[in-house]
Amino acid sequence: MNPKKSIVTKLWLYMTVLAIVALLFSGLVLSSVFEDFYFNLRKNEMINEGQQLISLILGGANPSELLDVSKFINAYAVLIDRQGLIQASSNVIKFNGIAIGPKELSEVLKGNIVVHKGHTPQFNASMLTVALPIRTEAGVAGGLILFSPMSSIEDTVWQIRRLILSAAVIAVLISTGLSFVLSKTVSKPLVQMKKAAEEMARGEFKSKVDVDSEDEIGTLAKTINYLSDVLNENINALDQEKKQLQNVLLSMTDGVVTFDTANQIIMANPQALEIMPTIKEHDNSYLNILEPLLKHVKDSGEYISEELRINGRIISTRLTPLFNENQQLWGILVVLKDVTRERKLEDLRKEFLGDISHELRTPLTYLQGYTEALLDGLVENREEHDRYLNVILEETLRLRRLVDELLQLSHIEAGHLNIKKDRVSIKDLIERVSKKVLPICDDKNIELKIEIEDIPSITADEDRIEQVMINLIDNAVRYSSNDSKIIIKAQSCKEGIIISVKDSGSGIPEDELPFIWERFYKVDKSRTRQKSGTGLGLAIVKKIVELHGGRVWAKNCPEGGAEFSFLMPWGA
């Protein structure tokens, strides 16, 4: 700490300066008082002695002899007449001319005693002069003037002044020591309060000010300690609320961003940065989209909600103005939610309603038409009769397959599907499935190629895995062109066995890849019978694999086509 800024130094200096000033003033006053006291004392002595001499002169004594006696009273005497002329004087001095000024002479002749102190030219020294009137029955006959050197009075006064100065120096030294001790005593609790305040500013509230006095400083110390406790409680409460708010923001699925009135970001949670990755860097593409909404909220002061399309995603945006206690806008809270998946699923559900209506309406139309033809006897020969019945059977099986898939997916999602695990040879399973699907491959002249490593058996439900394989291969055949190739691969990894089915189709749009495993999804939105499906096959595949503890994924191949894969854990 800088000593010049220390309260101890300041108190010590102030008290020392105050003591010095007080002692100097007291010394000057005492010196003046003593000087006046000795002057008045000497003046009264000279007046008494002069009156005694005047009494002796008026009694007939020789003035010259009496005036010589005046040297014993430490004074010089001069006798003057009414004109101010010297009639007699002490032998030690010889005056010529007038010994007193006309103004003083006039006062003496009036019967007044005149006292004067100052430089006297006749003696060339500072003298105390006392002029007394000589009264007779006829009036004032003259005057007696006594001169006493001021040096004796001044010596006495200087001795007193030296004594006062010595006492003042001693008093200053004593007061300096006492003021230093007193300043240390007074400032000690203040220094403790300063340290406690600095620690409170750093967020530390353990230190307390230890003051036992009941004065203002003691009261201030108790207030500081109380303030420390209250601040500690409030900061802990605020910290707890901050952590709770932070946990809430981190656990939210929505993105939260707070802007100030200048459109500068105050806070953004990780979910907001995930939805808008470069919003923290004030990417113009994002801020330009949000700026009109921010301006609208600032102008209207009202809550608004809109959906924006950003980089192919649908973002639900809700903006709320933030006001202070004076109802002044200080910021805007923006809540962001990626609703692309929800909107996509909503579109898929709408498409499914159309697809399922089509899937049901087409076979029902065939069933109704061919049945009515049979009932009306429009069939003339056995061959055409059997053909009509085969069409009715195919459409009935098609309806049955659709209903079975819906029921199966419903059972899986409800958790009612039983998994019977056993040791399964993936190689044998793939070869068996290949033989089953070979006829549908031959219909389109598709080559079915199998690439299987030497892999061990796994624990799984063989029937369900076979169903997964059939669904994937059927999907590959449906979207592969004639005279193409389908490749089935199986290889082991650290986690388990990876099985993939690669087709030679047109691939899947990249923005559609996240949704191909959803219910009712179909890449081909047309409702042609050649490629039409229920959109449930891949959803069933995903559910069965996940029930075994595995996972599914799909990707487009650089050479064309798409590859669907799933992982089966070793100990599934």
Side-chain angles (χ1 to χ4, degrees), residues 22 55 72 102 129 131 171 204 236 268 277 291 327 345 378 397 426 514 534:
S55 299
F72 295 105
T129 304
E204 300 175 2
N236 288 336
E291 187 174 2
Q327 295 303 311
L345 292 177
L378 298 178
L397 291 175
I426 295 297
T534 61

Side-chain angles (χ1 to χ4, degrees), residues 330-344:
W330 66 268
I332 299 173
L333 177 67
V334 181
V335 180
L336 307 169
K337 184 176 182 180
D338 189 347
V339 295
T340 307
R341 185 182 185 86
E342 288 81 353
R343 297 296 177 265
K344 191 70 177 179

Side-chain angles (χ1 to χ4, degrees), residues 84-275:
L85 299 177
I86 299 173
Q87 301 297 317
S89 64
S90 300
N91 291 332
V92 293
I93 59 170
K94 298 297 182 181
F95 273 98
N96 295 316
I98 300 175
I100 190 172
K103 183 178 179 180
E104 288 82 1
L105 176 63
S106 175
E107 290 294 325
V108 171
L109 294 178
K110 291 179 181 179
N112 297 325
I113 299 175
V114 177
V115 179
H116 172 74
K117 65 177 178 177
H119 182 76
T120 302
Q122 292 84 350
F123 295 95
N124 194 25
S126 180
M127 306 293 285
L128 174 62
T129 304
V130 177
L132 296 93
I134 299 176
R135 294 184 180 88
T136 62
E137 293 179 356
V140 178
L144 177 64
I145 303 175
L146 298 178
F147 298 94
S148 177
M150 290 287 292
S151 58
S152 61
I153 298 175
E154 290 176 350
D155 290 341
T156 303
V157 172
W158 276 110
Q159 288 180 2
I160 294 174
R161 287 176 177 172
R162 284 192 290 271
L163 180 62
I164 293 174
L165 181 62
S166 299
V169 171
I170 295 173
V172 167
L173 294 176
I174 295 174
S175 64
T176 299
L178 291 175
S179 64
F180 182 77
V181 174
L182 181 60
S183 63
K184 289 282 287 184
T185 303
V186 172
S187 62
K188 183 178 179 181
L190 297 178
V191 172
Q192 292 180 3
M193 294 178 203
K194 173 182 174 293
K195 291 180 178 179
E198 289 176 347
E199 291 181 358
M200 282 190 286
R202 293 193 298 268
E204 300 175 2
F205 302 94
K206 295 182 179 178
S207 298
K208 300 296 180 184
V209 182
D210 186 14
V211 178
D212 297 329
S213 61
E214 297 296 332
D215 54 8
E216 290 82 355
I217 293 179
T219 303
L220 179 59
K222 293 178 181 178
T223 305
I224 291 289
N225 292 335
Y226 174 73
L227 176 63
S228 175
D229 294 335
V230 173
L231 282 177
N232 189 24
E233 293 177 1
N234 291 338
I235 289 178
N236 288 336
L238 289 174
D239 186 59
Q240 187 67 24
E241 291 180 3
K242 180 181 178 181
K243 289 180 179 178
Q244 291 177 356
L245 178 60
Q246 186 176 11
N247 291 333
V248 169
L249 291 175
L250 291 176
S251 61
M252 290 178 64
T253 57
D254 297 346
V256 178
V257 186
T258 305
F259 291 90
D260 60 15
T261 53
N263 291 351
Q264 300 296 317
I265 295 175
I266 301 174
M267 181 277 299
N269 68 346
Q271 291 78 357
L273 300 180
E274 184 178 352
I275 294 173

Side-chain angles (χ1 to χ4, degrees), residues 39-52:
F39 171 76
N40 292 327
L41 182 64
R42 181 60 180 152
K43 178 188 70 173
N44 293 331
E45 288 178 352
M46 291 175 67
I47 290 174
N48 291 332
E49 292 168 352
Q51 288 176 347
Q52 291 177 6

